[in-house]
Amino acid sequence: MKLLKTTIWAVAACLMLQNCAKKADEKKEETPAQEQAAGNPGAGREIWPKEQAKDWYAKQGWLVGADFLPSTAINQLEMFQAESFDTATIDKELGWAQNIGMNTMRVYLHDLLYQQDSAGFIKRLDTFLDITKKHNIKPVLVLFDSCWDPFPKLGKQRDPKPGVHNSGWVQNPGFNALKDSTQYPRLERYVKGTVAAFANDDRVLMWDIWNEPDNTNNSSYGKVELPNKVAYVLPLMVKSFEWARSVNPSQPLSSGVWAGDWSTPQTLKPIEKAQIEQSDVITFHNYENAQEFEKRIKWLQQYDRPLICTEYMSRGNGSFFEGSLPVAKKYNVGAINWGLVDGKSQTIYPWDSWKKTYTKEPDLWFHDIFRKDGTPYKQAEVDLIKKLTSEKKS
Protein backbone atom coordinates (compact mmCIF):
# COMPACT_ATOMS: atom_id res chain seq x y z
CA MET A 1 0.00 0.00 0.00
CA LYS A 2 2.85 2.36 0.94
CA LEU A 3 4.53 1.69 -2.43
CA LEU A 4 1.28 2.39 -4.28
CA LYS A 5 0.85 5.73 -2.47
CA THR A 6 4.42 6.72 -3.32
CA THR A 7 3.89 5.82 -6.98
CA ILE A 8 0.67 7.83 -7.16
CA TRP A 9 2.41 10.88 -5.64
CA ALA A 10 5.32 10.52 -8.07
CA VAL A 11 3.00 10.36 -11.09
CA ALA A 12 1.01 13.37 -9.82
CA ALA A 13 4.23 15.36 -9.33
CA CYS A 14 5.38 14.57 -12.87
CA LEU A 15 2.02 15.61 -14.31
CA MET A 16 2.13 18.87 -12.36
CA LEU A 17 5.65 19.63 -13.61
CA GLN A 18 4.63 18.88 -17.21
CA ASN A 19 1.59 21.10 -16.86
CA CYS A 20 3.66 23.95 -15.46
CA ALA A 21 6.18 23.58 -18.28
CA LYS A 22 3.38 23.59 -20.86
CA LYS A 23 1.86 26.74 -19.35
CA ALA A 24 5.27 28.43 -19.37
CA ASP A 25 5.69 27.56 -23.06
CA GLU A 26 2.20 28.85 -23.85
CA LYS A 27 2.93 32.07 -21.98
CA LYS A 28 6.17 32.45 -23.93
CA GLU A 29 4.29 32.04 -27.21
CA GLU A 30 1.54 34.48 -26.18
CA THR A 31 3.87 37.24 -25.01
CA PRO A 32 4.51 38.93 -28.40
CA ALA A 33 0.79 39.04 -29.15
CA GLN A 34 0.04 40.39 -25.69
CA GLU A 35 2.75 43.01 -26.06
CA GLN A 36 1.31 44.00 -29.43
CA ALA A 37 -2.19 44.30 -28.01
CA ALA A 38 -0.99 46.34 -25.06
CA GLY A 39 0.99 48.75 -27.22
CA ASN A 40 4.20 47.59 -25.56
CA PRO A 41 7.22 49.62 -26.77
CA GLY A 42 8.81 46.37 -27.92
CA ALA A 43 5.93 45.88 -30.35
CA GLY A 44 5.80 49.46 -31.64
CA ARG A 45 6.93 52.96 -30.90
CA GLU A 46 5.97 55.08 -27.92
CA ILE A 47 4.30 58.49 -27.95
CA TRP A 48 6.97 60.95 -29.01
CA PRO A 49 8.80 62.91 -26.30
CA LYS A 50 8.17 66.66 -26.55
CA GLU A 51 11.64 67.37 -27.96
CA GLN A 52 11.20 64.85 -30.76
CA ALA A 53 7.88 66.46 -31.69
CA LYS A 54 9.48 69.91 -31.72
CA ASP A 55 12.42 68.72 -33.83
CA TRP A 56 10.02 67.22 -36.35
CA TYR A 57 7.94 70.39 -36.50
CA ALA A 58 10.97 72.63 -36.97
CA LYS A 59 11.82 70.77 -40.19
CA GLN A 60 8.38 71.30 -41.78
CA GLY A 61 8.29 75.06 -42.27
CA TRP A 62 5.04 76.88 -41.56
CA LEU A 63 2.19 74.50 -42.49
CA VAL A 64 -0.71 76.03 -44.41
CA GLY A 65 -3.36 74.10 -46.32
CA ALA A 66 -6.99 73.04 -46.64
CA ASP A 67 -9.22 70.09 -45.86
CA PHE A 68 -9.33 68.65 -49.37
CA LEU A 69 -11.99 66.85 -51.34
CA PRO A 70 -11.94 67.18 -55.14
CA SER A 71 -14.95 69.09 -56.47
CA THR A 72 -16.15 65.95 -58.28
CA ALA A 73 -16.52 63.89 -55.07
CA ILE A 74 -19.28 64.15 -52.47
CA ASN A 75 -17.37 62.25 -49.78
CA GLN A 76 -14.23 60.25 -48.99
CA LEU A 77 -15.66 57.06 -50.55
CA GLU A 78 -16.33 58.75 -53.88
CA MET A 79 -12.87 60.32 -53.76
CA PHE A 80 -11.04 56.99 -53.50
CA GLN A 81 -13.31 54.30 -55.01
CA ALA A 82 -11.81 52.90 -58.20
CA GLU A 83 -14.69 53.95 -60.47
CA SER A 84 -14.69 57.58 -59.30
CA PHE A 85 -11.00 58.21 -58.46
CA ASP A 86 -10.53 61.43 -60.43
CA THR A 87 -6.79 62.04 -60.71
CA ALA A 88 -7.17 64.77 -63.33
CA THR A 89 -9.33 66.94 -61.04
CA ILE A 90 -7.14 66.20 -58.02
CA ASP A 91 -4.03 67.24 -59.96
CA LYS A 92 -5.64 70.43 -61.28
CA GLU A 93 -7.07 71.56 -57.94
CA LEU A 94 -3.91 70.82 -55.97
CA GLY A 95 -2.10 72.97 -58.51
CA TRP A 96 -4.32 75.89 -57.49
CA ALA A 97 -3.43 75.24 -53.85
CA GLN A 98 0.28 75.14 -54.65
CA ASN A 99 0.03 78.43 -56.53
CA ILE A 100 -1.13 80.27 -53.42
CA GLY A 101 1.63 78.79 -51.26
CA MET A 102 -0.16 75.89 -49.58
CA ASN A 103 2.09 72.99 -48.57
CA THR A 104 -0.31 70.54 -46.91
CA MET A 105 -3.84 69.14 -47.32
CA ARG A 106 -5.98 67.20 -44.86
CA VAL A 107 -7.55 64.19 -46.56
CA TYR A 108 -10.07 61.66 -45.24
CA LEU A 109 -9.77 57.91 -45.84
CA HIS A 110 -12.35 55.18 -45.11
CA ASP A 111 -12.16 51.68 -43.62
CA LEU A 112 -14.70 50.31 -46.14
CA LEU A 113 -12.26 51.08 -48.97
CA TYR A 114 -9.66 48.90 -47.29
CA GLN A 115 -12.18 46.14 -46.57
CA GLN A 116 -13.40 46.10 -50.18
CA ASP A 117 -9.98 45.96 -51.86
CA SER A 118 -7.00 46.69 -49.64
CA ALA A 119 -4.41 46.37 -52.43
CA GLY A 120 -6.40 48.58 -54.81
CA PHE A 121 -7.04 51.19 -52.12
CA ILE A 122 -3.36 51.34 -51.13
CA LYS A 123 -2.39 51.66 -54.79
CA ARG A 124 -4.81 54.56 -55.33
CA LEU A 125 -3.57 56.25 -52.16
CA ASP A 126 -0.01 55.84 -53.46
CA THR A 127 -1.07 57.48 -56.74
CA PHE A 128 -2.67 60.33 -54.79
CA LEU A 129 0.58 60.84 -52.84
CA ASP A 130 2.50 61.02 -56.11
CA ILE A 131 0.21 63.86 -57.17
CA THR A 132 0.60 65.70 -53.86
CA LYS A 133 4.40 65.35 -54.09
CA LYS A 134 4.34 66.85 -57.59
CA HIS A 135 2.78 69.95 -56.02
CA ASN A 136 5.09 70.02 -52.96
CA ILE A 137 2.15 69.21 -50.70
CA LYS A 138 2.42 66.75 -47.80
CA PRO A 139 -1.03 65.62 -46.63
CA VAL A 140 -2.44 64.83 -43.22
CA LEU A 141 -4.31 61.52 -43.61
CA VAL A 142 -7.44 61.04 -41.47
CA LEU A 143 -8.29 57.44 -40.53
CA PHE A 144 -11.68 57.76 -38.73
CA ASP A 145 -14.41 60.41 -38.54
CA SER A 146 -17.54 60.85 -36.38
CA CYS A 147 -19.22 63.51 -38.55
CA TRP A 148 -22.41 63.43 -40.66
CA ASP A 149 -24.13 60.28 -42.01
CA PRO A 150 -23.63 57.30 -39.64
CA PHE A 151 -24.52 54.72 -42.30
CA PRO A 152 -21.71 54.61 -44.90
CA LYS A 153 -22.13 52.30 -47.89
CA LEU A 154 -19.79 51.38 -50.74
CA GLY A 155 -20.81 51.82 -54.37
CA LYS A 156 -22.30 54.77 -56.17
CA GLN A 157 -22.78 57.62 -53.72
CA ARG A 158 -25.98 59.67 -53.67
CA ASP A 159 -26.29 62.97 -55.48
CA PRO A 160 -26.02 66.16 -53.42
CA LYS A 161 -29.19 67.60 -51.91
CA PRO A 162 -29.48 71.06 -53.52
CA GLY A 163 -28.25 73.83 -51.23
CA VAL A 164 -27.31 71.55 -48.29
CA HIS A 165 -23.88 71.66 -46.64
CA ASN A 166 -22.06 68.27 -46.76
CA SER A 167 -25.25 66.41 -47.68
CA GLY A 168 -23.41 63.22 -48.64
CA TRP A 169 -20.47 63.02 -46.21
CA VAL A 170 -20.30 59.73 -44.28
CA GLN A 171 -18.90 58.65 -40.94
CA ASN A 172 -16.12 56.15 -40.51
CA PRO A 173 -16.61 53.50 -39.20
CA GLY A 174 -20.24 54.50 -38.50
CA PHE A 175 -23.14 53.21 -36.42
CA ASN A 176 -23.00 49.49 -37.21
CA ALA A 177 -19.26 48.96 -36.77
CA LEU A 178 -19.09 51.10 -33.64
CA LYS A 179 -21.69 49.03 -31.79
CA ASP A 180 -20.28 45.67 -32.96
CA SER A 181 -16.97 44.77 -31.32
CA THR A 182 -16.65 41.71 -33.59
CA GLN A 183 -15.74 44.22 -36.32
CA TYR A 184 -12.74 45.52 -34.36
CA PRO A 185 -10.31 43.03 -36.00
CA ARG A 186 -11.35 44.39 -39.41
CA LEU A 187 -10.78 47.97 -38.23
CA GLU A 188 -7.43 46.94 -36.75
CA ARG A 189 -6.36 45.52 -40.12
CA TYR A 190 -7.37 48.79 -41.79
CA VAL A 191 -5.38 50.98 -39.37
CA LYS A 192 -2.29 48.79 -39.29
CA GLY A 193 -2.36 48.00 -43.01
CA THR A 194 -2.83 51.60 -44.14
CA VAL A 195 -0.29 53.14 -41.74
CA ALA A 196 2.27 50.36 -42.33
CA ALA A 197 2.07 50.87 -46.11
CA PHE A 198 3.29 54.46 -45.70
CA ALA A 199 4.97 54.36 -42.28
CA ASN A 200 8.33 55.55 -43.63
CA ASP A 201 7.01 57.58 -46.56
CA ASP A 202 8.12 61.20 -46.53
CA ARG A 203 5.17 62.13 -48.78
CA VAL A 204 2.88 61.80 -45.70
CA LEU A 205 2.97 64.63 -43.16
CA MET A 206 1.06 62.96 -40.30
CA TRP A 207 -1.82 60.68 -39.31
CA ASP A 208 -5.01 62.12 -37.84
CA ILE A 209 -6.47 59.13 -35.99
CA TRP A 210 -10.05 60.34 -35.44
CA ASN A 211 -11.85 63.50 -36.54
CA GLU A 212 -14.17 65.07 -33.93
CA PRO A 213 -14.65 61.73 -32.15
CA ASP A 214 -17.38 62.98 -29.82
CA ASN A 215 -19.46 64.78 -32.45
CA THR A 216 -23.06 63.50 -32.24
CA ASN A 217 -24.35 65.52 -35.23
CA ASN A 218 -27.38 66.86 -33.38
CA SER A 219 -28.28 69.37 -36.10
CA SER A 220 -28.28 66.78 -38.91
CA TYR A 221 -28.32 63.06 -38.03
CA GLY A 222 -28.75 63.28 -34.24
CA LYS A 223 -32.03 61.36 -34.20
CA VAL A 224 -30.49 58.28 -35.86
CA GLU A 225 -27.12 58.34 -34.12
CA LEU A 226 -25.89 55.47 -31.95
CA PRO A 227 -27.14 56.10 -28.38
CA ASN A 228 -24.26 56.84 -26.01
CA LYS A 229 -21.98 57.04 -29.05
CA VAL A 230 -19.00 58.54 -27.22
CA ALA A 231 -18.79 55.54 -24.87
CA TYR A 232 -18.18 53.37 -27.95
CA VAL A 233 -15.80 55.78 -29.68
CA LEU A 234 -13.43 56.51 -26.78
CA PRO A 235 -11.99 52.98 -26.26
CA LEU A 236 -11.84 52.36 -30.01
CA MET A 237 -10.00 55.64 -30.57
CA VAL A 238 -7.39 54.73 -27.95
CA LYS A 239 -7.02 51.27 -29.54
CA SER A 240 -6.59 52.93 -32.93
CA PHE A 241 -3.71 55.07 -31.63
CA GLU A 242 -2.11 51.87 -30.29
CA TRP A 243 -2.66 50.02 -33.56
CA ALA A 244 -1.08 52.86 -35.52
CA ARG A 245 1.93 53.09 -33.20
CA SER A 246 2.43 49.30 -33.36
CA VAL A 247 3.68 49.58 -36.97
CA ASN A 248 6.28 52.23 -36.05
CA PRO A 249 5.23 55.20 -38.21
CA SER A 250 7.92 57.82 -38.71
CA GLN A 251 5.19 60.48 -38.89
CA PRO A 252 3.38 61.93 -35.87
CA LEU A 253 -0.09 60.82 -34.74
CA SER A 254 -2.81 63.14 -33.47
CA SER A 255 -6.54 63.68 -32.93
CA GLY A 256 -7.83 67.22 -32.71
CA VAL A 257 -9.88 68.65 -29.86
CA TRP A 258 -12.69 70.74 -31.31
CA ALA A 259 -15.27 71.94 -28.75
CA GLY A 260 -15.22 72.64 -25.03
CA ASP A 261 -13.03 74.23 -22.38
CA TRP A 262 -9.35 73.27 -22.77
CA SER A 263 -8.04 75.94 -20.41
CA THR A 264 -6.85 73.41 -17.81
CA PRO A 265 -6.38 69.62 -17.73
CA GLN A 266 -9.19 69.50 -15.16
CA THR A 267 -11.74 71.05 -17.57
CA LEU A 268 -11.09 68.51 -20.33
CA LYS A 269 -13.71 65.88 -21.10
CA PRO A 270 -12.36 62.29 -20.86
CA ILE A 271 -12.19 61.96 -24.64
CA GLU A 272 -10.30 65.28 -24.96
CA LYS A 273 -7.87 64.14 -22.28
CA ALA A 274 -7.25 60.93 -24.25
CA GLN A 275 -6.82 62.86 -27.51
CA ILE A 276 -4.18 65.15 -26.02
CA GLU A 277 -2.36 62.42 -24.08
CA GLN A 278 -2.16 60.10 -27.12
CA SER A 279 -1.04 62.77 -29.61
CA ASP A 280 2.55 63.37 -30.68
CA VAL A 281 1.62 66.89 -31.81
CA ILE A 282 -1.49 68.76 -30.64
CA THR A 283 -4.21 69.49 -33.20
CA PHE A 284 -7.43 71.45 -32.78
CA HIS A 285 -10.37 73.04 -34.60
CA ASN A 286 -11.68 76.58 -34.28
CA TYR A 287 -14.49 78.13 -36.32
CA GLU A 288 -14.75 81.35 -34.32
CA ASN A 289 -13.27 84.84 -34.54
CA ALA A 290 -9.59 85.72 -34.33
CA GLN A 291 -9.71 86.56 -30.61
CA GLU A 292 -11.22 83.17 -29.79
CA PHE A 293 -8.70 81.49 -32.10
CA GLU A 294 -5.83 83.13 -30.24
CA LYS A 295 -7.34 82.21 -26.85
CA ARG A 296 -7.49 78.54 -27.86
CA ILE A 297 -3.87 78.58 -28.99
CA LYS A 298 -2.82 79.99 -25.60
CA TRP A 299 -4.81 77.30 -23.81
CA LEU A 300 -3.04 74.55 -25.73
CA GLN A 301 0.45 76.00 -25.38
CA GLN A 302 0.53 74.57 -21.85
CA TYR A 303 1.26 71.13 -23.34
CA ASP A 304 4.53 72.40 -24.83
CA ARG A 305 4.09 70.55 -28.13
CA PRO A 306 3.72 71.79 -31.72
CA LEU A 307 0.21 73.03 -32.56
CA ILE A 308 -1.68 72.61 -35.83
CA CYS A 309 -5.22 73.87 -36.40
CA THR A 310 -6.71 71.25 -38.71
CA GLU A 311 -10.05 73.05 -39.27
CA TYR A 312 -10.91 76.76 -39.29
CA MET A 313 -12.46 79.45 -41.55
CA SER A 314 -16.24 79.64 -41.60
CA ARG A 315 -17.07 83.10 -42.84
CA GLY A 316 -20.68 83.02 -41.71
CA ASN A 317 -19.53 82.17 -38.19
CA GLY A 318 -17.00 85.01 -37.99
CA SER A 319 -13.91 82.95 -38.84
CA PHE A 320 -11.97 84.54 -41.72
CA PHE A 321 -8.53 84.15 -43.29
CA GLU A 322 -7.75 87.80 -42.54
CA GLY A 323 -8.49 87.22 -38.84
CA SER A 324 -7.12 83.79 -38.02
CA LEU A 325 -4.24 83.23 -40.48
CA PRO A 326 -2.01 86.11 -39.22
CA VAL A 327 -2.59 84.85 -35.64
CA ALA A 328 -1.55 81.35 -36.67
CA LYS A 329 1.62 82.72 -38.23
CA LYS A 330 2.40 84.85 -35.16
CA TYR A 331 2.38 81.74 -32.94
CA ASN A 332 3.87 79.40 -35.57
CA VAL A 333 0.69 77.30 -35.55
CA GLY A 334 -0.12 75.24 -38.64
CA ALA A 335 -3.36 76.37 -40.32
CA ILE A 336 -5.62 74.07 -42.37
CA ASN A 337 -8.93 75.66 -43.40
CA TRP A 338 -12.06 73.75 -44.36
CA GLY A 339 -12.48 73.48 -48.11
CA LEU A 340 -10.50 74.28 -51.24
CA VAL A 341 -12.88 74.17 -54.23
CA ASP A 342 -16.67 74.58 -54.36
CA GLY A 343 -18.01 71.18 -55.43
CA LYS A 344 -20.34 68.31 -54.63
CA SER A 345 -19.79 68.72 -50.88
CA GLN A 346 -21.50 72.13 -51.17
CA THR A 347 -19.71 73.58 -48.16
CA ILE A 348 -20.17 77.13 -49.51
CA TYR A 349 -23.59 76.77 -47.81
CA PRO A 350 -23.73 77.22 -44.02
CA TRP A 351 -24.38 74.56 -41.39
CA ASP A 352 -27.93 75.84 -40.94
CA SER A 353 -28.78 74.68 -44.50
CA TRP A 354 -29.88 71.44 -42.80
CA LYS A 355 -32.77 73.44 -41.29
CA LYS A 356 -33.12 76.42 -43.65
CA THR A 357 -33.72 76.32 -47.44
CA TYR A 358 -31.16 77.94 -49.77
CA THR A 359 -32.22 78.26 -53.40
CA LYS A 360 -29.15 80.06 -54.73
CA GLU A 361 -25.47 80.49 -54.00
CA PRO A 362 -25.08 82.47 -50.76
CA ASP A 363 -23.54 85.93 -51.05
CA LEU A 364 -21.19 85.02 -48.22
CA TRP A 365 -19.60 81.63 -48.83
CA PHE A 366 -19.32 79.60 -45.65
CA HIS A 367 -16.19 77.58 -46.65
CA ASP A 368 -13.98 77.07 -49.74
CA ILE A 369 -11.56 79.28 -51.68
CA PHE A 370 -11.98 78.61 -55.42
CA ARG A 371 -14.80 78.18 -57.87
CA LYS A 372 -14.76 75.10 -60.12
CA ASP A 373 -13.01 77.05 -62.89
CA GLY A 374 -10.16 78.04 -60.56
CA THR A 375 -11.16 81.67 -60.02
CA PRO A 376 -11.01 82.73 -56.36
CA TYR A 377 -14.20 83.50 -54.44
CA LYS A 378 -12.36 86.51 -53.02
CA GLN A 379 -9.14 87.70 -54.64
CA ALA A 380 -8.13 89.53 -51.47
CA GLU A 381 -8.13 86.22 -49.58
CA VAL A 382 -5.80 84.41 -51.97
CA ASP A 383 -3.55 87.48 -52.06
CA LEU A 384 -3.31 87.34 -48.26
CA ILE A 385 -2.58 83.59 -48.23
CA LYS A 386 0.12 84.08 -50.89
CA LYS A 387 1.65 86.97 -48.99
CA LEU A 388 1.78 85.19 -45.63
CA THR A 389 3.06 81.87 -47.03
CA SER A 390 5.80 83.59 -49.06
CA GLU A 391 7.19 85.51 -46.09
CA LYS A 392 9.81 83.79 -44.02
CA LYS A 393 8.93 82.88 -40.43
CA SER A 394 10.07 85.59 -38.04
Side-chain angles (χ1 to χ4, degrees):
M1 180 62 82
K2 191 175 180 183
L3 180 61
L4 181 61
K5 281 184 181 177
T6 306
T7 305
I8 289 168
W9 277 111
V11 170
C14 284
L15 287 171
M16 284 174 66
L17 283 169
Q18 284 176 350
N19 197 37
C20 287
K22 187 180 176 188
K23 282 186 176 174
D25 287 341
E26 283 172 356
K27 191 167 188 221
K28 202 182 289 181
E29 285 170 12
E30 285 170 5
T31 298
Q34 288 168 346
E35 285 179 349
Q36 186 94 350
N40 186 293
R45 73 166 176 81
E46 296 178 320
I47 299 166
W48 281 359
K50 291 175 183 178
E51 290 311 313
Q52 184 177 355
K54 291 176 188 175
D55 289 346
W56 170 84
Y57 193 63
K59 294 170 186 168
Q60 306 310 316
W62 185 41
L63 296 166
V64 178
D67 283 79
F68 177 69
L69 184 71
S71 60
T72 51
I74 196 169
N75 60 28
Q76 60 277 57
L77 291 174
E78 192 163 49
M79 178 176 178
F80 280 109
Q81 285 185 141
E83 57 273 22
S84 49
F85 183 48
D86 185 355
T87 54
T89 298
I90 290 168
D91 185 30
K92 177 178 66 179
E93 294 178 356
L94 291 182
W96 300 339
Q98 181 185 19
N99 288 340
I100 61 173
M102 288 184 162
N103 55 10
T104 187
M105 290 285 132
R106 185 165 174 254
V107 176
Y108 289 72
L109 312 180
H110 206 289
D111 71 272
L112 292 180
L113 296 162
Y114 191 90
Q115 181 187 24
Q116 178 189 45
D117 174 16
S118 58
F121 168 60
I122 295 299
K123 187 176 180 183
R124 289 189 293 279
L125 185 50
D126 182 64
T127 299
F128 172 74
L129 291 172
D130 279 342
I131 299 170
T132 61
K133 185 175 182 180
K134 170 185 170 183
H135 296 291
N136 298 316
I137 286 169
K138 293 175 72 169
V140 177
L141 298 179
V142 186
L143 293 172
F144 290 115
D145 180 16
S146 283
C147 292
W148 306 105
D149 188 343
F151 301 102
K153 290 182 180 67
L154 291 164
K156 186 182 184 310
Q157 301 300 294
R158 61 177 175 263
D159 293 330
K161 292 178 186 172
V164 178
H165 176 111
N166 252 336
S167 65
W169 194 269
V170 292
Q171 291 186 37
N172 176 23
F175 184 110
N176 293 318
L178 272 180
K179 71 172 186 178
D180 180 6
S181 60
T182 67
Q183 296 199 41
Y184 281 16
R186 172 177 76 75
L187 301 176
E188 180 178 1
R189 286 192 296 273
Y190 158 66
V191 172
K192 288 182 176 179
T194 304
V195 177
F198 304 99
N200 293 298
D201 196 322
D202 63 7
R203 294 174 298 173
V204 175
L205 182 71
M206 62 183 288
W207 300 95
D208 190 333
I209 298 296
W210 206 303
N211 178 64
E212 299 191 357
D214 52 335
N215 195 328
T216 52
N217 303 290
N218 294 334
S219 64
S220 52
Y221 293 93
K223 290 179 181 176
V224 296
E225 275 279 28
L226 181 65
N228 203 17
K229 176 182 174 179
V230 179
Y232 291 89
V233 171
L234 177 52
L236 184 55
M237 183 190 75
V238 173
K239 279 180 183 290
S240 298
F241 268 103
E242 292 170 356
W243 293 336
R245 282 198 301 271
S246 76
V247 296
N248 293 300
S250 59
Q251 309 94 345
L253 311 179
S254 189
S255 175
V257 291
W258 66 284
D261 182 350
W262 322 321
S263 57
T264 68
Q266 292 72 37
T267 55
L268 295 174
K269 299 191 288 282
I271 201 159
E272 292 167 343
K273 192 168 185 290
Q275 286 175 280
I276 287 172
E277 288 176 351
Q278 294 285 327
S279 292
D280 299 311
V281 302
I282 304 297
T283 54
F284 69 101
H285 298 173
N286 182 259
Y287 282 121
E288 296 166 276
N289 61 37
Q291 292 73 30
E292 187 69 19
F293 185 76
E294 185 169 25
K295 182 179 85 175
R296 301 268 164 172
I297 289 171
K298 289 180 176 178
W299 280 357
L300 294 172
Q301 283 179 328
Q302 66 186 296
Y303 298 104
D304 194 26
R305 287 180 179 270
L307 298 178
I308 302 172
C309 179
T310 51
E311 288 186 30
Y312 78 103
M313 209 288 290
S314 50
R315 299 178 187 91
N317 209 48
S319 176
F320 296 91
F321 285 115
E322 54 266 37
S324 297
L325 199 54
V327 174
K329 182 152 194 179
K330 173 184 172 183
Y331 291 96
N332 191 26
V333 170
I336 301 175
N337 70 277
W338 188 274
L340 185 66
V341 182
D342 171 32
K344 288 174 80 172
S345 67
Q346 299 181 152
T347 53
I348 65 169
Y349 295 94
W351 296 318
D352 72 7
S353 59
W354 281 84
K355 308 286 185 189
K356 181 179 171 184
T357 301
Y358 287 81
T359 56
K360 63 181 183 66
E361 176 186 307
D363 293 332
L364 184 67
W365 280 18
F366 202 70
H367 297 313
D368 300 320
I369 300 171
F370 295 103
R371 298 183 182 276
K372 291 183 191 70
D373 64 0
T375 57
Y377 163 63
K378 281 190 175 180
Q379 186 62 44
E381 289 180 341
V382 298
D383 290 344
L384 174 70
I385 296 166
K386 267 185 172 177
K387 178 176 181 291
L388 291 175
T389 54
S390 64
E391 293 170 351
K392 292 196 178 295
K393 284 193 294 186
S394 55

